[in-house]
Amino acid sequence: MLGAATKRNADALDDRKGRMAESRPASATSTEPTKVPGRRAKTIETRGVNLFYGDFHAVEEVTMTIEPNKVTALIGSSGCGKTTFLRSLNRMHELTPGARVQGEVTLDGEDIYDSRVDPVAVRRLIGMVFQQPNPFPTMSIYDNAAAGLNLNAKKVSKAHKDSVVERSLRGAHLWDEVKDRLDKPGGGLSGGQQQRLCIARAIAVEPEILLMDEPCSALDPVATLAVEDLIGELKSRYTIVVVTHNMQQAARASDVTAFFNLDATGKPGHLVEIGPTEEIFTNPNEKETEDYVSGRFG
Ligand SMILES: Nc1ncnc2c1ncn2[C@@H]1O[C@H](COP(=O)(O)OP(=O)(O)O)[C@@H](O)[C@H]1O
Ligand SMILES: [Mg+2]
């Protein structure tokens, strides 16, 4: 028996299918994203990941596989450790003073916490988009899109930079809106445009993974749909993990959903279950997942 909220989620699933079908070229019949030749998104595996802030145990024993060319949504009530877990996937967690990581995170089998691995290189391969769009406000749109390149490459030709900026802005569905004002400050764009500019900045360096922490929470509904569509398109090139507290967004925009919960305030958050989004929203294995997705708590 579907509750009203579960029904809404199911409608969001249908809505997503409808929109995806509309945006697909008539010739394409498969629901699989087109793979880009010569480039491969990577599988993330976590094993027994525990995350601490000093003595506080924030996330307990997360073991999951995050598949390439799919959007994986992390859902769960506020404070259950979604952001903390996300930040452990690109070694940002350890930037917080006193923060510690236990367990293993691998990218196609390579341990990102191996002592020989450079954390700066890991953060470069794994792009991050934050809750509040954070372009450099006084820097031009062009320089914002190229910002990662300036830091990462010793010498980049102007022609190469131009082509990367255009490709990234096109990839972020922003090019047509900004191509005539590339020299204007990034801070002058609307919120939704700023978030797409941040996505352009993240993809300019050709990351293997994109992590997004509630990327639409500061956006209006129209900008939200634009970013969700963009996320759906980017999965043909990347492994994407999106934190969202918006159930319908998870239903619309993700292929796989991981539900996190905590037993009581002050206790660590943990993974309850992970599975195809459709199953998590309509027929989850755990009672607590069903309670959450049907809006009974959280
Ligand atoms: N910098 C920090 N220092 C100490 N505790 C933190 C810090 N950031 C988050 N926490 C705590 O870790 C837990 C998980 O937080 P967070 O990952 O932000 O949850 P979510 O993103 O699911 O809302 C919460 O109890 C939060 O208060
Ligand atoms: Mg959070």
Side-chain angles (χ1 to χ4, degrees), residues 19 33 39 49 53 65 70 74 96-97 115 118 148 167 180 185 189 196-197 201 225 263 291 297:
R19 284 194 299 126
R39 203 178 173 291
V49 167
Y53 293 100
T65 300
K70 288 199 172 149
L74 308 182
T96 305
S115 58
D118 173 9
R167 175 179 53 73
D180 300 322
L189 298 173
R196 281 178 283 139
L197 180 58
R201 180 176 65 190
L225 286 181
D263 295 333
D291 287 348
F297 74 92

Side-chain angles (χ1 to χ4, degrees), residues 11 15 18 23 29 35 59-60 65 67 89 113 128 133 149 158 161 167 190 193 209 220 241-244 256 273:
D11 288 346
D15 174 47
S23 59
T29 48
K35 304 284 192 301
V59 175
E60 187 176 36
T65 300
E67 295 174 44
L89 301 180
Y113 284 98
M128 183 107 181
L149 293 179
K158 174 81 168 72
K161 228 164 120 173
R167 175 179 53 73
S190 72
Q193 290 172 326
I209 315 270
D220 65 46
V241 188
V242 184
V243 171
T244 177
V256 175
E273 63 179 308

Side-chain angles (χ1 to χ4, degrees), residues 32-177:
E32 282 302 298
T34 345
K35 304 284 192 301
V36 176
R39 203 178 173 291
R40 209 161 45 93
K42 291 193 170 171
T43 302
I44 309 173
E45 280 186 280
T46 77
R47 256 177 246 127
V49 167
N50 285 276
L51 303 166
F52 302 85
Y53 293 100
D55 292 336
F56 177 61
H57 193 176
V59 175
E60 187 176 36
E61 287 293 316
V62 178
T63 296
M64 69 161 83
T65 300
I66 299 170
E67 295 174 44
N69 301 116
K70 288 199 172 149
V71 177
T72 298
L74 308 182
I75 64 167
S77 49
S78 178
C80 69
K82 304 177 298 295
T83 294
T84 304
F85 177 69
L86 191 77
R87 288 165 54 93
S88 74
L89 301 180
N90 71 343
R91 296 195 59 169
M92 275 185 76
H93 178 65
E94 70 207 62
L95 295 175
T96 305
R100 279 185 301 126
V101 181
Q102 277 174 8
E104 205 175 83
V105 179
T106 60
L107 278 192
D108 273 5
E110 275 184 69
D111 182 1
I112 66 167
Y113 284 98
D114 187 289
S115 58
R116 288 161 298 183
V117 169
D118 173 9
V120 177
V122 171
R123 288 173 210 131
R124 188 160 67 225
L125 287 176
I126 306 180
M128 183 107 181
V129 175
F130 300 88
Q131 214 162 337
Q132 288 294 333
N134 62 343
F136 302 108
T138 56
M139 200 185 257
S140 70
I141 293 167
Y142 182 101
D143 285 340
N144 262 289
L149 293 179
N150 294 342
L151 296 174
N152 293 334
K154 286 178 195 80
K155 183 136 180 52
V156 184
S157 75
K158 174 81 168 72
H160 177 65
K161 228 164 120 173
D162 287 352
S163 79
V164 171
V165 166
E166 179 170 344
R167 175 179 53 73
S168 310
L169 290 170
R170 281 189 189 281
H173 289 187
L174 189 58
W175 176 252
D176 289 334
E177 290 160 62

